[in-house]
Amino acid sequence: MAAGLVLVLCLLPLGIMGNSLEEGQDKMASAFQRRRVKRGGGSVGDHGTGDRLLEILAGTRTSGLHSDMDKGDGSIRYILSGEGAGSTFTIDESTGDIHAIQRLDRELKAQYVLRAQARSRLSDRALEPESQFIVKIQDINDNEPRFLDGPYAAIVPEMSAIGTSVIQVTATDADDPTYGNSARVVYSVLEGQPYFSVDAKTGVVRVSLSDMDRETRENYTLLIQAKDMGGQMGGLAGTTRVHIRLSDINDNPPVFDQRLYQMSVPESAPVGTVVGTIWARDQDSGPNALMKYSVVDGDGRDSFEISTDPTRSYGVIAVKRALDFESKPSFTLKVEAANTDPGQNQHFSDVTIVHLTIEDVDEPPVFDQNQYVLELLEDAQVGTVVRAVSARDPDSANNTVRYSIDKSSDLEKFFYIEPTTGALMTLRPLDREQVGWHNLTVLAMEMNNPSQISSVSVSVRVLDVNDNAPTLSHHLETYVCEDANAGQLVQALTAVDVDDPLGGHHFHYSLTAEDQNNPNFTLRDNQDNSAWVLTRRAGWALRDHSVFFLAVSVRDGEEPVQSSTSTLTVRVCSCDQQGAVLSCEPEAFTLPANLSRGALIAILACIFILLVLILLMLSLRTHRKKPYLCDREDNVHENIVRYDDEGGGEEDTEAFDIAAMWNPREVHPQAKLRQDMLPEIQSLSRYVPLACVSDPADGHVQGFVCAKLLEADSDSRAPPYDSLQTYAYEGEGSIAESLSSLQSGASNSDLEYDYLNDWGPRFEKLAEMYGVTQNCSPLW
């Protein structure tokens, strides 16, 4: 066996993969012949150059190797090594026959490189150099075509022309494409005619039927076959499925499902209220089915609007402007639904008619303005009419409207509104410095339907009147140093005024007439709303005079002019070189140096305690010496009298002048204003119409009572509301005359009350309280 010999054995693959090793060996033994490979016509053992590859077709026997040195006596042992030696191939050590012990598959491994050598069995010496040979596996058609990317999915527009390419399918065959027709594949359509076809060589799927409509059928499934051996009989085949979907094009117009829509909406519906929806059906899908709704005609274009719902392609009709049944009870709209295909430049649309009926509802009153902004001087008299607000019933019935003020918007009851005319008037004096704006809520109510109430905001701005005097804005106490010279600044003065004039504040400062010739200080008005207090002399001494008082007058520049006077306290203090105060107390110069402030405070506290003790002892001694009085008058004044009725306490004494109880004719016109709460008007029936306020002299009792009622409700000087108000004099015309002790004579006069026992049961309580008793002891 020559060294470097390359042996090529072409073996056919055996059987079906997966049989046992023994079955493979038996088939190999019967399928292959044992052949001797010669080089250049010589035997295997010849030496020389010019090696060539010989391809030996496999027969029914296995292939083998043989050395020229082999005499057939078993002295030579053959050894096989390389790829697959021992696992795929084995060699007979005695004969050199090569056997395949495993099933061969060209698609897994197409060739094997092996090496063989002849060695002496006795000495294990190499008799020939190692030779290499290649075993090539010859292909047979044992693999069918496969669609590795299947199944396929494709999309093609509807209405595509015949021959339009849809998708290309590809099948692969693992067999050797260079050997025979084992790997030559031909494509064909098994299912899916006549809609689609496939190119037999390239596998391109094309449209084969025109006018395929997505709205009729959208999805198609093709079964495509790939067959090897050029499609001839006996070839192997593989199949795959292709799912084809027709994509939509805009080839259908929108169509309304109704030619006429009937809708209704109440006239009270606010702007933006959705009235109803309309829908136009489009058989297309996706963007081709999108449409836009618009109002193209009709008398309701200004009152209604339509928009497109982006999710469901509905047309939404909504209120665009406030509706009024009395002015127009119905509307008509002509609505268009349209979509456009930019690619085909076609405009698809459809129109429909929408009839809208306005429903009549009972509406609340409507004010002539959405908001009232009024102005009034703060010195306006009580009862001044600010303005009359106006509201009307918008319904055809035109019911009567009554006005009132929301209590929560005028808790202090500064204003009153006339129920029938809507005249807004003042009920209390106004003060801009306390409340600059009054934000009222005026209510308007239908008399026939109290549930119909509307409101409007009324803002009353209180205009400023110069009714407050300016005052100094800083603390009215300052100091001057002992070493101050004449003309030195003591204090810079500024003023504040709660009034707010249009031209701004203009303050004028001066000293009062008593201090015009003050020898110590002078005042200079800077004409810029400030003033300076200056010294007129030098030589200040804390021991001589430690405190000075200076009366400063400041007035404003508005009409009527208001002024005020303040007293400025100037203390003389000892200061350091920088002007800082060291001390302003003259006692500091007389106190001993070793007496601290704490000791001084302790001494003053002891003196104060002693004074309190002395006063307490004197008071006890005075009470101990005073005898109990048994006099009837003293006894009456010291008694504790109990009344069953509950009064108002201190508010009763502050509410009105007690002199009014003595004699109403002597009541001063500038009586003290009452401080208790005004009565609350519970209903509209309590309001007094202006028509009732007439001259009592006309003889009408109703007018007189109305005038008195309005006067009592508006009078802030009237007695408390839990007392009885009369229009006569107390005790006038009574046989007992006045029973009040407030106008009695001197407290020391002798008063006899025995006659009370003769006045009957009405005066029994007074007789028990003020009558003569047998016991003179005090009542406490």
Side-chain angles (χ1 to χ4, degrees), residues 254 340 634:
T340 302
D634 293 341

PDB file of all heavy atoms in Angstrom, residues 254 340 634:
ATOM      1  N   PRO A 254     -70.032  57.307   2.187  1.00  0.00           N
ATOM      2  CA  PRO A 254     -70.867  57.166   3.397  1.00  0.00           C
ATOM      3  C   PRO A 254     -72.341  57.312   3.049  1.00  0.00           C
ATOM      4  O   PRO A 254     -72.705  58.075   2.136  1.00  0.00           O
ATOM      5  CB  PRO A 254     -70.377  58.307   4.293  1.00  0.00           C
ATOM      6  CG  PRO A 254     -69.812  59.312   3.349  1.00  0.00           C
ATOM      7  CD  PRO A 254     -69.254  58.546   2.189  1.00  0.00           C
ATOM      8  N   THR A 340     -62.809  61.840   1.867  1.00  0.00           N
ATOM      9  CA  THR A 340     -62.079  62.107   0.628  1.00  0.00           C
ATOM     10  C   THR A 340     -60.905  61.171   0.550  1.00  0.00           C
ATOM     11  O   THR A 340     -60.167  60.992   1.535  1.00  0.00           O
ATOM     12  CB  THR A 340     -61.599  63.562   0.591  1.00  0.00           C
ATOM     13  OG1 THR A 340     -62.731  64.418   0.707  1.00  0.00           O
ATOM     14  CG2 THR A 340     -60.882  63.859  -0.720  1.00  0.00           C
ATOM     15  N   ASP A 634     -84.483 103.623 103.265  1.00  0.00           N
ATOM     16  CA  ASP A 634     -83.225 102.891 103.098  1.00  0.00           C
ATOM     17  C   ASP A 634     -83.491 101.415 102.907  1.00  0.00           C
ATOM     18  O   ASP A 634     -82.791 100.730 102.139  1.00  0.00           O
ATOM     19  CB  ASP A 634     -82.309 103.113 104.311  1.00  0.00           C
ATOM     20  CG  ASP A 634     -81.838 104.567 104.366  1.00  0.00           C
ATOM     21  OD1 ASP A 634     -81.921 105.233 103.306  1.00  0.00           O
ATOM     22  OD2 ASP A 634     -81.407 104.996 105.441  1.00  0.00           O
TER      23      ASP A 634
END
